Amino acid sequence: MLLVVVGLAGCKTNGDTALSASKFRVDLSLPKEMEAGKPFLLEGTLVNKSHHTWQVDYGADIFSYVVLSDKGENVLPSTDMLVVDSIGLMKTLKPFEKFGYDGGQFMHPHNNECTLPAGKYKAVAKAKFRIQEGSRKVDFELESEPVSFTVS
Protein backbone atom coordinates (compact mmCIF):
# COMPACT_ATOMS: atom_id res chain seq x y z
CA MET A 1 0.00 0.00 0.00
CA LEU A 2 2.84 2.40 0.83
CA LEU A 3 4.36 1.91 -2.64
CA VAL A 4 1.11 2.91 -4.31
CA VAL A 5 0.88 6.16 -2.30
CA VAL A 6 4.51 7.07 -3.03
CA GLY A 7 3.99 6.23 -6.71
CA LEU A 8 0.89 8.43 -6.96
CA ALA A 9 2.61 11.34 -5.22
CA GLY A 10 5.47 11.02 -7.71
CA CYS A 11 3.04 11.17 -10.64
CA LYS A 12 1.48 14.37 -9.33
CA THR A 13 4.86 16.08 -8.93
CA ASN A 14 6.08 15.03 -12.38
CA GLY A 15 2.87 16.31 -13.98
CA ASP A 16 3.22 19.68 -12.29
CA THR A 17 6.86 20.12 -13.28
CA ALA A 18 6.38 19.07 -16.91
CA LEU A 19 7.14 22.19 -18.92
CA SER A 20 4.23 23.37 -21.08
CA ALA A 21 2.40 26.57 -22.01
CA SER A 22 -0.50 25.47 -19.78
CA LYS A 23 1.67 26.35 -16.75
CA PHE A 24 1.52 30.06 -17.61
CA ARG A 25 -1.03 32.76 -18.33
CA VAL A 26 -0.76 36.34 -19.59
CA ASP A 27 -3.09 38.93 -18.06
CA LEU A 28 -3.81 42.48 -19.19
CA SER A 29 -4.78 45.26 -16.78
CA LEU A 30 -6.14 48.66 -17.76
CA PRO A 31 -7.16 51.69 -15.70
CA LYS A 32 -10.83 51.79 -14.69
CA GLU A 33 -11.34 55.04 -16.61
CA MET A 34 -9.53 56.45 -19.63
CA GLU A 35 -9.97 59.93 -21.06
CA ALA A 36 -9.60 60.80 -24.72
CA GLY A 37 -6.26 62.41 -25.51
CA LYS A 38 -4.72 61.52 -22.10
CA PRO A 39 -2.07 58.80 -21.81
CA PHE A 40 -2.73 55.62 -19.86
CA LEU A 41 -0.77 52.41 -19.31
CA LEU A 42 -1.45 48.90 -20.54
CA GLU A 43 -0.02 46.46 -18.00
CA GLY A 44 0.80 42.91 -19.03
CA THR A 45 1.68 40.30 -16.44
CA LEU A 46 3.00 36.77 -16.75
CA VAL A 47 1.42 34.39 -14.23
CA ASN A 48 2.90 31.09 -13.08
CA LYS A 49 -0.17 28.83 -12.72
CA SER A 50 1.82 25.84 -11.44
CA HIS A 51 3.20 24.66 -8.10
CA HIS A 52 6.71 24.74 -9.57
CA THR A 53 9.34 27.53 -9.57
CA TRP A 54 10.64 28.42 -13.06
CA GLN A 55 13.62 30.42 -14.34
CA VAL A 56 12.25 32.90 -16.87
CA ASP A 57 14.65 34.48 -19.40
CA TYR A 58 13.28 37.50 -21.22
CA GLY A 59 14.22 40.63 -23.08
CA ALA A 60 13.27 44.21 -22.31
CA ASP A 61 10.41 43.77 -24.79
CA ILE A 62 8.89 40.71 -23.07
CA PHE A 63 5.43 42.31 -23.38
CA SER A 64 3.87 43.79 -26.49
CA TYR A 65 0.34 45.04 -27.01
CA VAL A 66 -2.29 45.13 -29.72
CA VAL A 67 -5.16 47.61 -29.47
CA LEU A 68 -7.94 47.40 -32.05
CA SER A 69 -10.64 49.95 -32.76
CA ASP A 70 -14.28 48.89 -32.99
CA LYS A 71 -13.61 48.59 -36.76
CA GLY A 72 -10.81 46.06 -36.15
CA GLU A 73 -7.96 48.46 -37.04
CA ASN A 74 -4.72 48.40 -35.05
CA VAL A 75 -4.45 51.83 -33.40
CA LEU A 76 -1.00 51.53 -31.80
CA PRO A 77 2.16 52.64 -33.59
CA SER A 78 4.20 49.91 -35.24
CA THR A 79 6.59 48.18 -32.85
CA ASP A 80 9.11 48.02 -35.72
CA MET A 81 10.30 51.48 -34.67
CA LEU A 82 11.08 50.61 -31.03
CA VAL A 83 14.67 50.87 -29.88
CA VAL A 84 15.36 47.93 -27.60
CA ASP A 85 18.71 47.25 -25.96
CA SER A 86 19.65 43.64 -26.56
CA ILE A 87 19.81 42.74 -22.92
CA GLY A 88 18.89 39.43 -21.41
CA LEU A 89 17.11 39.50 -18.08
CA MET A 90 16.10 36.68 -15.76
CA LYS A 91 13.39 36.26 -13.15
CA THR A 92 12.68 33.38 -10.79
CA LEU A 93 8.92 32.95 -11.01
CA LYS A 94 7.57 31.23 -7.91
CA PRO A 95 4.34 29.22 -7.78
CA PHE A 96 1.27 31.37 -8.56
CA GLU A 97 3.43 34.52 -8.74
CA LYS A 98 2.63 37.35 -11.18
CA PHE A 99 5.37 39.26 -12.97
CA GLY A 100 5.16 42.45 -15.00
CA TYR A 101 7.89 44.46 -16.70
CA ASP A 102 7.60 47.70 -18.70
CA GLY A 103 11.01 47.56 -20.38
CA GLY A 104 12.66 49.82 -17.80
CA GLN A 105 15.40 52.03 -19.20
CA PHE A 106 16.12 49.48 -21.94
CA MET A 107 13.25 50.31 -24.31
CA HIS A 108 12.40 53.65 -25.95
CA PRO A 109 9.65 54.61 -26.32
CA HIS A 110 7.76 52.37 -23.92
CA ASN A 111 5.23 50.29 -25.79
CA ASN A 112 2.74 50.13 -22.92
CA GLU A 113 1.74 53.81 -22.96
CA CYS A 114 -1.34 54.60 -25.02
CA THR A 115 -3.24 57.79 -25.92
CA LEU A 116 -6.48 57.29 -27.81
CA PRO A 117 -9.46 59.29 -29.06
CA ALA A 118 -12.89 58.55 -27.59
CA GLY A 119 -14.25 55.20 -28.72
CA LYS A 120 -14.56 51.49 -28.03
CA TYR A 121 -11.52 49.24 -28.23
CA LYS A 122 -10.17 45.74 -27.58
CA ALA A 123 -6.65 45.09 -26.32
CA VAL A 124 -4.43 42.01 -26.00
CA ALA A 125 -1.10 41.66 -24.17
CA LYS A 126 1.49 39.30 -25.66
CA ALA A 127 4.46 37.83 -23.79
CA LYS A 128 7.58 36.35 -25.36
CA PHE A 129 9.94 34.54 -22.96
CA ARG A 130 12.08 31.46 -22.45
CA ILE A 131 12.03 28.96 -19.60
CA GLN A 132 15.29 27.33 -18.66
CA GLU A 133 14.94 23.89 -17.09
CA GLY A 134 18.40 22.49 -16.49
CA SER A 135 20.14 22.45 -19.88
CA ARG A 136 16.81 22.57 -21.75
CA LYS A 137 15.45 25.92 -22.98
CA VAL A 138 11.91 26.33 -24.27
CA ASP A 139 10.61 29.48 -25.99
CA PHE A 140 7.04 30.64 -25.38
CA GLU A 141 4.80 33.22 -27.02
CA LEU A 142 1.49 33.61 -25.19
CA GLU A 143 -1.26 36.20 -25.25
CA SER A 144 -3.97 37.36 -22.89
CA GLU A 145 -7.67 37.11 -23.42
CA PRO A 146 -8.97 40.21 -25.25
CA VAL A 147 -10.11 43.02 -22.96
CA SER A 148 -12.83 45.40 -24.19
CA PHE A 149 -12.75 48.99 -22.95
CA THR A 150 -14.15 52.44 -23.69
CA VAL A 151 -12.25 55.73 -23.82
CA SER A 152 -14.53 58.66 -23.02
Side-chain angles (χ1 to χ4, degrees), residues 48-121:
N48 178 359
K49 299 184 340 182
S50 75
H51 293 276
H52 187 71
T53 298
W54 304 100
Q55 290 298 322
V56 180
D57 295 333
Y58 61 97
D61 57 348
I62 179 174
F63 293 104
S64 61
Y65 304 91
V66 175
V67 177
L68 302 174
S69 70
D70 58 354
K71 296 175 184 169
E73 300 165 334
N74 188 356
V75 297
L76 292 182
S78 169
T79 55
D80 296 339
M81 298 305 292
L82 287 175
V83 176
V84 180
D85 287 343
S86 295
I87 183 164
L89 303 165
M90 187 171 24
K91 163 77 175 151
T92 300
L93 197 58
K94 296 179 182 173
F96 305 102
E97 183 178 12
K98 294 182 177 188
F99 168 68
Y101 184 71
D102 69 0
Q105 71 270 18
F106 304 111
M107 189 165 57
H108 305 285
H110 287 275
N111 67 345
N112 67 332
E113 187 174 285
C114 196
T115 304
L116 298 170
K120 295 184 179 196
Y121 301 90

